[in-house]
Short mmCIF file of all heavy atoms in Angstrom, two decimals:
data_model
loop_
_atom_site.label_atom_id
_atom_site.label_comp_id
_atom_site.label_asym_id
_atom_site.label_seq_id
_atom_site.Cartn_x
_atom_site.Cartn_y
_atom_site.Cartn_z
N VAL A 1375 11.19 -22.86 88.25
CA VAL A 1375 11.33 -23.39 86.87
C VAL A 1375 11.62 -22.18 85.96
O VAL A 1375 11.24 -21.02 86.24
CB VAL A 1375 9.96 -24.02 86.44
CG1 VAL A 1375 9.68 -25.27 87.25
CG2 VAL A 1375 8.78 -23.12 86.44
N PRO A 1376 12.34 -22.51 84.94
CA PRO A 1376 12.61 -21.46 83.94
C PRO A 1376 11.34 -21.18 83.14
O PRO A 1376 10.36 -21.86 83.20
CB PRO A 1376 13.64 -22.07 83.05
CG PRO A 1376 13.45 -23.58 83.13
CD PRO A 1376 12.89 -23.79 84.55
N PRO A 1377 11.37 -20.16 82.35
CA PRO A 1377 10.15 -19.83 81.52
C PRO A 1377 9.73 -21.07 80.69
O PRO A 1377 10.56 -21.83 80.16
CB PRO A 1377 10.65 -18.75 80.61
CG PRO A 1377 11.74 -18.06 81.34
CD PRO A 1377 12.44 -19.17 82.15
N LEU A 1378 8.46 -21.28 80.67
CA LEU A 1378 7.84 -22.42 79.90
C LEU A 1378 7.09 -21.75 78.81
O LEU A 1378 6.88 -20.58 78.75
CB LEU A 1378 6.87 -23.16 80.85
CG LEU A 1378 7.47 -23.89 81.99
CD1 LEU A 1378 6.43 -24.49 82.88
CD2 LEU A 1378 8.42 -24.95 81.53
N PRO A 1379 6.59 -22.62 77.78
CA PRO A 1379 5.77 -22.02 76.71
C PRO A 1379 4.56 -21.25 77.31
O PRO A 1379 3.86 -21.77 78.15
CB PRO A 1379 5.31 -23.28 75.96
CG PRO A 1379 6.39 -24.30 76.22
CD PRO A 1379 6.84 -24.05 77.59
N LYS A 1380 4.32 -20.13 76.76
CA LYS A 1380 3.23 -19.26 77.30
C LYS A 1380 1.88 -19.99 77.09
O LYS A 1380 1.04 -19.86 78.04
CB LYS A 1380 3.23 -17.90 76.57
CG LYS A 1380 4.34 -17.00 76.89
CD LYS A 1380 4.21 -15.71 76.20
CE LYS A 1380 5.35 -14.74 76.52
NZ LYS A 1380 5.18 -13.50 75.85
N ALA A 1381 1.72 -20.65 75.98
CA ALA A 1381 0.44 -21.33 75.81
C ALA A 1381 0.12 -22.43 76.90
O ALA A 1381 -0.96 -22.52 77.28
CB ALA A 1381 0.42 -22.05 74.42
N PHE A 1382 1.17 -23.03 77.35
CA PHE A 1382 0.98 -24.02 78.40
C PHE A 1382 0.57 -23.37 79.68
O PHE A 1382 -0.39 -23.75 80.38
CB PHE A 1382 2.25 -24.82 78.68
CG PHE A 1382 2.17 -25.74 79.80
CD1 PHE A 1382 1.44 -26.93 79.73
CD2 PHE A 1382 2.82 -25.46 81.03
CE1 PHE A 1382 1.37 -27.80 80.87
CE2 PHE A 1382 2.71 -26.32 82.12
CZ PHE A 1382 1.97 -27.49 82.03
N ALA A 1383 1.22 -22.24 80.04
CA ALA A 1383 0.88 -21.54 81.27
C ALA A 1383 -0.53 -20.90 81.21
O ALA A 1383 -1.30 -20.99 82.15
CB ALA A 1383 1.92 -20.40 81.52
N LEU A 1384 -0.86 -20.40 80.01
CA LEU A 1384 -2.25 -19.84 79.83
C LEU A 1384 -3.27 -21.00 79.97
O LEU A 1384 -4.35 -20.72 80.50
CB LEU A 1384 -2.32 -19.11 78.52
CG LEU A 1384 -1.59 -17.81 78.36
CD1 LEU A 1384 -1.51 -17.35 77.00
CD2 LEU A 1384 -2.21 -16.79 79.31
N ASP A 1385 -2.97 -22.13 79.45
CA ASP A 1385 -3.92 -23.24 79.60
C ASP A 1385 -4.10 -23.61 81.04
O ASP A 1385 -5.19 -23.93 81.48
CB ASP A 1385 -3.34 -24.48 78.75
CG ASP A 1385 -4.39 -25.62 78.80
OD1 ASP A 1385 -5.55 -25.46 78.52
OD2 ASP A 1385 -3.85 -26.73 79.17
N MET A 1386 -2.98 -23.63 81.78
CA MET A 1386 -3.13 -23.92 83.20
C MET A 1386 -3.91 -22.88 83.92
O MET A 1386 -4.78 -23.23 84.82
CB MET A 1386 -1.74 -24.06 83.82
CG MET A 1386 -0.89 -25.18 83.33
SD MET A 1386 -1.71 -26.81 83.57
CE MET A 1386 -1.76 -26.89 85.35
N LEU A 1387 -3.74 -21.60 83.58
CA LEU A 1387 -4.54 -20.51 84.26
C LEU A 1387 -6.01 -20.74 83.87
O LEU A 1387 -6.91 -20.56 84.74
CB LEU A 1387 -4.02 -19.17 83.78
CG LEU A 1387 -2.68 -18.73 84.33
CD1 LEU A 1387 -2.25 -17.44 83.60
CD2 LEU A 1387 -2.85 -18.42 85.85
N GLU A 1388 -6.27 -21.02 82.66
CA GLU A 1388 -7.64 -21.23 82.23
C GLU A 1388 -8.31 -22.37 82.94
O GLU A 1388 -9.42 -22.30 83.42
CB GLU A 1388 -7.71 -21.43 80.69
CG GLU A 1388 -9.13 -21.46 80.11
CD GLU A 1388 -9.70 -22.85 79.92
OE1 GLU A 1388 -8.93 -23.79 79.84
OE2 GLU A 1388 -10.92 -22.95 79.97
N PHE A 1389 -7.54 -23.46 83.17
CA PHE A 1389 -8.00 -24.66 83.87
C PHE A 1389 -8.35 -24.20 85.32
O PHE A 1389 -9.45 -24.61 85.78
CB PHE A 1389 -6.96 -25.77 83.85
CG PHE A 1389 -7.20 -26.93 84.69
CD1 PHE A 1389 -8.16 -27.89 84.25
CD2 PHE A 1389 -6.64 -27.05 86.00
CE1 PHE A 1389 -8.45 -28.96 85.10
CE2 PHE A 1389 -6.94 -28.13 86.74
CZ PHE A 1389 -7.87 -29.05 86.25
N VAL A 1390 -7.47 -23.56 85.97
CA VAL A 1390 -7.73 -23.18 87.40
C VAL A 1390 -8.92 -22.18 87.51
O VAL A 1390 -9.79 -22.45 88.33
CB VAL A 1390 -6.47 -22.45 88.01
CG1 VAL A 1390 -6.76 -21.78 89.30
CG2 VAL A 1390 -5.34 -23.43 88.12
N LEU A 1391 -9.02 -21.23 86.63
CA LEU A 1391 -10.08 -20.25 86.74
C LEU A 1391 -11.45 -20.88 86.39
O LEU A 1391 -12.46 -20.54 86.95
CB LEU A 1391 -9.78 -19.08 85.83
CG LEU A 1391 -8.63 -18.16 86.30
CD1 LEU A 1391 -8.31 -17.15 85.22
CD2 LEU A 1391 -9.00 -17.52 87.56
N SER A 1392 -11.49 -21.81 85.41
CA SER A 1392 -12.77 -22.41 85.04
C SER A 1392 -13.20 -23.45 86.01
O SER A 1392 -14.37 -23.68 86.19
CB SER A 1392 -12.66 -23.00 83.59
OG SER A 1392 -11.77 -24.03 83.56
N HIS A 1393 -12.27 -24.17 86.70
CA HIS A 1393 -12.64 -25.23 87.62
C HIS A 1393 -12.70 -24.86 89.04
O HIS A 1393 -13.30 -25.54 89.85
CB HIS A 1393 -11.69 -26.44 87.42
CG HIS A 1393 -11.94 -27.17 86.09
ND1 HIS A 1393 -11.21 -26.80 85.00
CD2 HIS A 1393 -12.77 -28.18 85.76
CE1 HIS A 1393 -11.63 -27.59 83.94
NE2 HIS A 1393 -12.54 -28.45 84.43
N HIS A 1394 -12.12 -23.74 89.37
CA HIS A 1394 -12.11 -23.32 90.78
C HIS A 1394 -12.37 -21.86 90.97
O HIS A 1394 -11.70 -21.13 91.73
CB HIS A 1394 -10.69 -23.68 91.35
CG HIS A 1394 -10.43 -25.13 91.41
ND1 HIS A 1394 -9.80 -25.79 90.35
CD2 HIS A 1394 -10.70 -26.06 92.30
CE1 HIS A 1394 -9.68 -27.05 90.60
NE2 HIS A 1394 -10.30 -27.29 91.80
N SER A 1395 -13.36 -21.39 90.21
CA SER A 1395 -13.68 -19.89 90.24
C SER A 1395 -14.11 -19.45 91.63
O SER A 1395 -13.87 -18.31 91.95
CB SER A 1395 -14.71 -19.61 89.21
OG SER A 1395 -15.91 -20.35 89.53
N VAL A 1396 -14.69 -20.35 92.39
CA VAL A 1396 -15.16 -19.96 93.80
C VAL A 1396 -14.00 -19.45 94.57
O VAL A 1396 -14.15 -18.59 95.48
CB VAL A 1396 -15.93 -21.08 94.42
CG1 VAL A 1396 -15.00 -22.25 94.73
CG2 VAL A 1396 -16.62 -20.58 95.70
N VAL A 1397 -12.81 -19.98 94.39
CA VAL A 1397 -11.61 -19.57 95.13
C VAL A 1397 -11.37 -18.12 94.93
O VAL A 1397 -11.00 -17.43 95.81
CB VAL A 1397 -10.45 -20.47 94.79
CG1 VAL A 1397 -9.10 -19.88 95.34
CG2 VAL A 1397 -10.60 -21.89 95.17
N PHE A 1398 -11.57 -17.62 93.67
CA PHE A 1398 -11.26 -16.33 93.28
C PHE A 1398 -12.37 -15.40 93.64
O PHE A 1398 -12.16 -14.13 93.65
CB PHE A 1398 -10.86 -16.24 91.80
CG PHE A 1398 -9.62 -17.02 91.50
CD1 PHE A 1398 -9.66 -18.38 91.19
CD2 PHE A 1398 -8.38 -16.47 91.63
CE1 PHE A 1398 -8.55 -19.14 90.95
CE2 PHE A 1398 -7.22 -17.18 91.39
CZ PHE A 1398 -7.32 -18.52 91.02
N THR A 1399 -13.53 -15.89 93.85
CA THR A 1399 -14.68 -14.94 94.20
C THR A 1399 -14.88 -14.88 95.72
O THR A 1399 -15.43 -13.86 96.21
CB THR A 1399 -15.97 -15.43 93.50
OG1 THR A 1399 -16.26 -16.73 93.95
CG2 THR A 1399 -15.85 -15.27 92.05
N GLU A 1400 -14.41 -15.87 96.49
CA GLU A 1400 -14.66 -15.92 97.89
C GLU A 1400 -13.45 -15.62 98.78
O GLU A 1400 -13.62 -15.26 99.92
CB GLU A 1400 -15.19 -17.31 98.27
CG GLU A 1400 -16.50 -17.67 97.66
CD GLU A 1400 -17.68 -16.80 98.14
OE1 GLU A 1400 -17.65 -16.46 99.30
OE2 GLU A 1400 -18.54 -16.47 97.28
N LEU A 1401 -12.29 -15.79 98.23
CA LEU A 1401 -11.08 -15.53 99.05
C LEU A 1401 -10.38 -14.18 98.66
O LEU A 1401 -9.88 -14.10 97.53
CB LEU A 1401 -10.08 -16.72 98.93
CG LEU A 1401 -10.64 -18.04 99.43
CD1 LEU A 1401 -9.64 -19.19 99.18
CD2 LEU A 1401 -11.09 -18.00 100.86
N PRO A 1402 -10.36 -13.22 99.49
CA PRO A 1402 -9.82 -11.86 99.11
C PRO A 1402 -8.43 -11.94 98.64
O PRO A 1402 -8.14 -11.15 97.70
CB PRO A 1402 -9.92 -11.11 100.44
CG PRO A 1402 -10.93 -11.76 101.28
CD PRO A 1402 -10.87 -13.25 100.87
N ASN A 1403 -7.55 -12.80 99.18
CA ASN A 1403 -6.15 -12.84 98.67
C ASN A 1403 -6.12 -13.22 97.26
O ASN A 1403 -5.30 -12.70 96.44
CB ASN A 1403 -5.32 -13.77 99.54
CG ASN A 1403 -5.01 -13.21 100.91
OD1 ASN A 1403 -5.04 -12.02 101.11
ND2 ASN A 1403 -4.78 -14.11 101.86
N PHE A 1404 -6.95 -14.24 96.87
CA PHE A 1404 -6.97 -14.68 95.45
C PHE A 1404 -7.60 -13.66 94.60
O PHE A 1404 -7.23 -13.43 93.45
CB PHE A 1404 -7.68 -16.04 95.36
CG PHE A 1404 -6.91 -17.16 95.78
CD1 PHE A 1404 -6.87 -17.63 97.08
CD2 PHE A 1404 -6.00 -17.82 94.90
CE1 PHE A 1404 -6.14 -18.70 97.48
CE2 PHE A 1404 -5.26 -18.91 95.27
CZ PHE A 1404 -5.32 -19.32 96.55
N GLU A 1405 -8.61 -12.96 95.14
CA GLU A 1405 -9.27 -11.87 94.32
C GLU A 1405 -8.30 -10.75 93.98
O GLU A 1405 -8.27 -10.28 92.89
CB GLU A 1405 -10.50 -11.34 95.08
CG GLU A 1405 -11.31 -10.41 94.29
CD GLU A 1405 -12.58 -9.97 95.04
OE1 GLU A 1405 -12.76 -10.35 96.24
OE2 GLU A 1405 -13.35 -9.20 94.47
N ARG A 1406 -7.45 -10.39 95.03
CA ARG A 1406 -6.44 -9.33 94.73
C ARG A 1406 -5.49 -9.84 93.76
O ARG A 1406 -5.01 -9.08 92.89
CB ARG A 1406 -5.86 -8.93 96.09
CG ARG A 1406 -6.68 -8.03 96.96
CD ARG A 1406 -5.89 -7.46 98.17
NE ARG A 1406 -5.55 -8.47 99.08
CZ ARG A 1406 -6.29 -8.97 100.03
NH1 ARG A 1406 -7.53 -8.48 100.19
NH2 ARG A 1406 -5.92 -9.84 100.91
N LEU A 1407 -4.96 -11.04 93.94
CA LEU A 1407 -3.99 -11.64 92.99
C LEU A 1407 -4.56 -11.67 91.55
O LEU A 1407 -3.86 -11.31 90.59
CB LEU A 1407 -3.52 -12.98 93.45
CG LEU A 1407 -2.41 -13.62 92.66
CD1 LEU A 1407 -1.12 -12.87 92.74
CD2 LEU A 1407 -2.15 -15.09 93.25
N LEU A 1408 -5.76 -12.08 91.41
CA LEU A 1408 -6.44 -12.07 90.14
C LEU A 1408 -6.49 -10.67 89.51
O LEU A 1408 -6.17 -10.54 88.34
CB LEU A 1408 -7.81 -12.73 90.30
CG LEU A 1408 -8.58 -12.85 89.00
CD1 LEU A 1408 -7.96 -13.91 88.16
CD2 LEU A 1408 -10.04 -13.27 89.35
N GLY A 1409 -6.89 -9.71 90.32
CA GLY A 1409 -7.02 -8.42 89.79
C GLY A 1409 -5.69 -7.79 89.46
O GLY A 1409 -5.57 -7.01 88.47
N GLY A 1410 -4.63 -8.13 90.21
CA GLY A 1410 -3.35 -7.48 89.99
C GLY A 1410 -2.60 -8.20 88.88
O GLY A 1410 -2.22 -7.61 87.87
N ARG A 1411 -2.30 -9.49 89.08
CA ARG A 1411 -1.45 -10.20 88.14
C ARG A 1411 -2.09 -10.55 86.78
O ARG A 1411 -1.50 -10.29 85.74
CB ARG A 1411 -0.91 -11.55 88.77
CG ARG A 1411 0.02 -11.39 89.93
CD ARG A 1411 1.29 -10.85 89.47
NE ARG A 1411 1.95 -11.77 88.44
CZ ARG A 1411 3.17 -11.92 88.20
NH1 ARG A 1411 4.03 -11.15 88.81
NH2 ARG A 1411 3.63 -12.73 87.32
N LEU A 1412 -3.33 -11.08 86.85
CA LEU A 1412 -3.97 -11.47 85.62
C LEU A 1412 -4.40 -10.25 84.77
O LEU A 1412 -4.25 -10.29 83.57
CB LEU A 1412 -5.06 -12.42 85.89
CG LEU A 1412 -5.50 -13.31 84.73
CD1 LEU A 1412 -4.36 -14.11 84.21
CD2 LEU A 1412 -6.61 -14.17 85.07
N ALA A 1413 -4.86 -9.29 85.40
CA ALA A 1413 -5.27 -8.09 84.69
C ALA A 1413 -4.07 -7.43 84.03
O ALA A 1413 -4.15 -7.02 82.87
CB ALA A 1413 -5.98 -7.04 85.60
N SER A 1414 -2.97 -7.42 84.72
CA SER A 1414 -1.76 -6.83 84.15
C SER A 1414 -1.32 -7.67 82.96
O SER A 1414 -0.87 -7.15 81.90
CB SER A 1414 -0.62 -6.79 85.18
OG SER A 1414 0.61 -6.41 84.61
N LEU A 1415 -1.37 -8.99 83.07
CA LEU A 1415 -0.99 -9.91 82.04
C LEU A 1415 -1.86 -9.71 80.80
O LEU A 1415 -1.34 -9.64 79.65
CB LEU A 1415 -1.06 -11.37 82.50
CG LEU A 1415 -0.77 -12.46 81.52
CD1 LEU A 1415 0.59 -12.40 80.92
CD2 LEU A 1415 -1.04 -13.82 82.12
N LEU A 1416 -3.11 -9.55 81.00
CA LEU A 1416 -4.06 -9.33 79.96
C LEU A 1416 -3.82 -8.06 79.22
O LEU A 1416 -3.80 -7.96 77.98
CB LEU A 1416 -5.48 -9.35 80.47
CG LEU A 1416 -6.63 -9.18 79.44
CD1 LEU A 1416 -6.63 -10.28 78.41
CD2 LEU A 1416 -7.93 -9.12 80.15
N MET A 1417 -3.61 -6.96 79.96
CA MET A 1417 -3.27 -5.65 79.38
C MET A 1417 -2.00 -5.69 78.56
O MET A 1417 -1.90 -5.12 77.47
CB MET A 1417 -3.23 -4.60 80.46
CG MET A 1417 -4.59 -4.35 81.13
SD MET A 1417 -5.97 -4.03 80.00
CE MET A 1417 -5.47 -2.49 79.26
N THR A 1418 -1.04 -6.33 79.06
CA THR A 1418 0.23 -6.42 78.39
C THR A 1418 0.11 -7.18 77.07
O THR A 1418 0.68 -6.85 76.07
CB THR A 1418 1.31 -7.18 79.28
OG1 THR A 1418 1.47 -6.38 80.47
CG2 THR A 1418 2.66 -7.25 78.56
N SER A 1419 -0.68 -8.31 77.19
CA SER A 1419 -0.84 -9.10 76.02
C SER A 1419 -1.63 -8.41 74.93
O SER A 1419 -1.40 -8.69 73.72
CB SER A 1419 -1.61 -10.39 76.46
OG SER A 1419 -1.89 -11.18 75.29
N LEU A 1420 -2.59 -7.54 75.28
CA LEU A 1420 -3.44 -6.90 74.36
C LEU A 1420 -2.92 -5.56 73.80
O LEU A 1420 -3.53 -4.96 73.00
CB LEU A 1420 -4.83 -6.74 74.92
CG LEU A 1420 -5.57 -7.97 75.29
CD1 LEU A 1420 -6.92 -7.67 75.89
CD2 LEU A 1420 -5.79 -8.84 74.04
N ARG A 1421 -1.78 -5.17 74.34
CA ARG A 1421 -1.19 -3.88 73.80
C ARG A 1421 -0.95 -3.96 72.31
O ARG A 1421 -0.37 -4.88 71.81
CB ARG A 1421 0.15 -3.61 74.47
CG ARG A 1421 0.01 -2.74 75.68
CD ARG A 1421 1.33 -2.10 76.06
NE ARG A 1421 2.44 -3.16 76.03
CZ ARG A 1421 3.23 -3.45 77.02
NH1 ARG A 1421 3.11 -2.84 78.15
NH2 ARG A 1421 4.13 -4.35 76.85
N ALA A 1422 -1.39 -2.96 71.68
CA ALA A 1422 -1.26 -2.97 70.13
C ALA A 1422 0.11 -2.84 69.67
O ALA A 1422 0.46 -3.32 68.59
CB ALA A 1422 -2.19 -1.84 69.62
N GLY A 1423 0.99 -2.19 70.41
CA GLY A 1423 2.35 -1.93 70.01
C GLY A 1423 3.37 -3.05 70.11
O GLY A 1423 4.48 -2.88 69.82
N ASP A 1424 2.92 -4.19 70.65
CA ASP A 1424 3.82 -5.29 70.94
C ASP A 1424 4.35 -5.88 69.64
O ASP A 1424 3.63 -6.02 68.62
CB ASP A 1424 3.19 -6.47 71.76
CG ASP A 1424 3.06 -6.09 73.18
OD1 ASP A 1424 3.61 -5.06 73.63
OD2 ASP A 1424 2.37 -6.85 73.92
N ILE A 1425 5.63 -6.26 69.58
CA ILE A 1425 6.20 -6.91 68.48
C ILE A 1425 5.94 -8.40 68.68
O ILE A 1425 6.24 -8.97 69.67
CB ILE A 1425 7.70 -6.62 68.38
CG1 ILE A 1425 7.94 -5.13 68.16
CG2 ILE A 1425 8.33 -7.47 67.28
CD1 ILE A 1425 9.37 -4.76 68.26
N VAL A 1426 5.44 -9.06 67.66
CA VAL A 1426 4.99 -10.40 67.78
C VAL A 1426 5.93 -11.32 67.04
O VAL A 1426 6.19 -11.08 65.81
CB VAL A 1426 3.59 -10.62 67.20
CG1 VAL A 1426 3.12 -12.03 67.28
CG2 VAL A 1426 2.56 -9.70 67.88
N GLU A 1427 6.50 -12.31 67.71
CA GLU A 1427 7.45 -13.24 67.15
C GLU A 1427 6.66 -14.25 66.25
O GLU A 1427 7.08 -14.59 65.18
CB GLU A 1427 8.29 -13.91 68.15
CG GLU A 1427 9.18 -13.12 68.92
CD GLU A 1427 9.91 -13.79 70.01
OE1 GLU A 1427 9.96 -14.98 70.03
OE2 GLU A 1427 10.56 -13.08 70.82
N ASP A 1428 5.59 -14.80 66.87
CA ASP A 1428 4.75 -15.79 66.24
C ASP A 1428 3.36 -15.42 66.35
O ASP A 1428 2.75 -15.65 67.39
CB ASP A 1428 5.09 -17.20 66.89
CG ASP A 1428 4.34 -18.34 66.20
OD1 ASP A 1428 3.53 -18.02 65.28
OD2 ASP A 1428 4.50 -19.51 66.53
N GLU A 1429 2.79 -14.88 65.26
CA GLU A 1429 1.48 -14.30 65.40
C GLU A 1429 0.43 -15.37 65.69
O GLU A 1429 -0.52 -15.12 66.48
CB GLU A 1429 1.11 -13.64 63.98
CG GLU A 1429 -0.10 -12.81 64.08
CD GLU A 1429 -0.26 -11.96 62.80
OE1 GLU A 1429 0.68 -11.39 62.37
OE2 GLU A 1429 -1.41 -11.94 62.28
N SER A 1430 0.51 -16.58 65.19
CA SER A 1430 -0.44 -17.62 65.50
C SER A 1430 -0.42 -17.94 66.99
O SER A 1430 -1.47 -18.24 67.59
CB SER A 1430 -0.25 -18.87 64.66
OG SER A 1430 1.03 -19.44 64.95
N ALA A 1431 0.75 -18.03 67.56
CA ALA A 1431 0.84 -18.33 68.99
C ALA A 1431 0.19 -17.17 69.86
O ALA A 1431 -0.49 -17.41 70.80
CB ALA A 1431 2.28 -18.45 69.42
N GLU A 1432 0.34 -15.90 69.34
CA GLU A 1432 -0.23 -14.80 70.05
C GLU A 1432 -1.78 -14.91 70.01
O GLU A 1432 -2.47 -14.61 70.97
CB GLU A 1432 0.19 -13.45 69.50
CG GLU A 1432 -0.35 -12.32 70.33
CD GLU A 1432 0.01 -10.95 69.75
OE1 GLU A 1432 0.48 -10.89 68.59
OE2 GLU A 1432 -0.25 -9.95 70.43
N ILE A 1433 -2.29 -15.29 68.84
CA ILE A 1433 -3.75 -15.41 68.70
C ILE A 1433 -4.31 -16.41 69.68
O ILE A 1433 -5.27 -16.19 70.41
CB ILE A 1433 -4.09 -15.72 67.28
CG1 ILE A 1433 -3.83 -14.60 66.40
CG2 ILE A 1433 -5.59 -16.14 67.18
CD1 ILE A 1433 -3.86 -14.87 64.91
N VAL A 1434 -3.61 -17.56 69.83
CA VAL A 1434 -4.03 -18.57 70.78
C VAL A 1434 -3.97 -18.01 72.18
O VAL A 1434 -4.87 -18.31 72.97
CB VAL A 1434 -3.15 -19.85 70.62
CG1 VAL A 1434 -3.39 -20.83 71.75
CG2 VAL A 1434 -3.38 -20.50 69.25
N GLU A 1435 -2.87 -17.34 72.53
CA GLU A 1435 -2.71 -16.79 73.91
C GLU A 1435 -3.83 -15.86 74.18
O GLU A 1435 -4.40 -15.89 75.24
CB GLU A 1435 -1.40 -16.05 73.97
CG GLU A 1435 -0.18 -17.03 74.03
CD GLU A 1435 1.14 -16.27 73.99
OE1 GLU A 1435 1.15 -15.02 74.33
OE2 GLU A 1435 2.18 -16.86 73.70
N ARG A 1436 -4.15 -14.93 73.28
CA ARG A 1436 -5.20 -14.00 73.57
C ARG A 1436 -6.57 -14.68 73.66
O ARG A 1436 -7.36 -14.29 74.51
CB ARG A 1436 -5.24 -12.91 72.42
CG ARG A 1436 -4.06 -11.94 72.56
CD ARG A 1436 -4.13 -10.87 71.50
NE ARG A 1436 -3.00 -9.99 71.64
CZ ARG A 1436 -2.72 -9.03 70.81
NH1 ARG A 1436 -3.55 -8.77 69.79
NH2 ARG A 1436 -1.68 -8.29 71.02
N ARG A 1437 -6.82 -15.68 72.82
CA ARG A 1437 -8.08 -16.38 72.92
C ARG A 1437 -8.19 -17.10 74.33
O ARG A 1437 -9.21 -17.01 74.98
CB ARG A 1437 -8.18 -17.43 71.83
CG ARG A 1437 -9.55 -18.10 71.75
CD ARG A 1437 -9.71 -18.87 70.52
NE ARG A 1437 -8.47 -19.19 69.86
CZ ARG A 1437 -8.07 -20.43 69.57
NH1 ARG A 1437 -8.80 -21.46 69.93
NH2 ARG A 1437 -6.95 -20.63 68.95
#
Side-chain angles (χ1 to χ4, degrees):
V1375 296
L1378 297 173
K1380 287 182 182 181
F1382 175 74
L1384 289 170
D1385 182 54
M1386 294 302 297
L1387 287 170
E1388 189 265 333
F1389 172 78
V1390 169
L1391 291 170
S1392 64
H1393 289 90
H1394 298 91
S1395 60
V1396 68
V1397 171
F1398 296 90
T1399 59
E1400 296 295 324
L1401 300 177
N1403 288 336
F1404 282 93
E1405 188 176 0
R1406 282 190 293 276
L1407 185 60
L1408 181 66
R1411 290 292 299 205
L1412 200 58
S1414 173
L1415 176 63
L1416 181 60
M1417 295 307 294
T1418 301
S1419 176
L1420 295 176
R1421 266 197 316 236
D1424 284 350
I1425 299 172
V1426 180
E1427 293 176 14
D1428 182 357
E1429 193 169 314
S1430 63
E1432 182 185 14
I1433 291 169
V1434 170
E1435 289 174 18
R1436 286 183 181 177
R1437 186 167 20 121

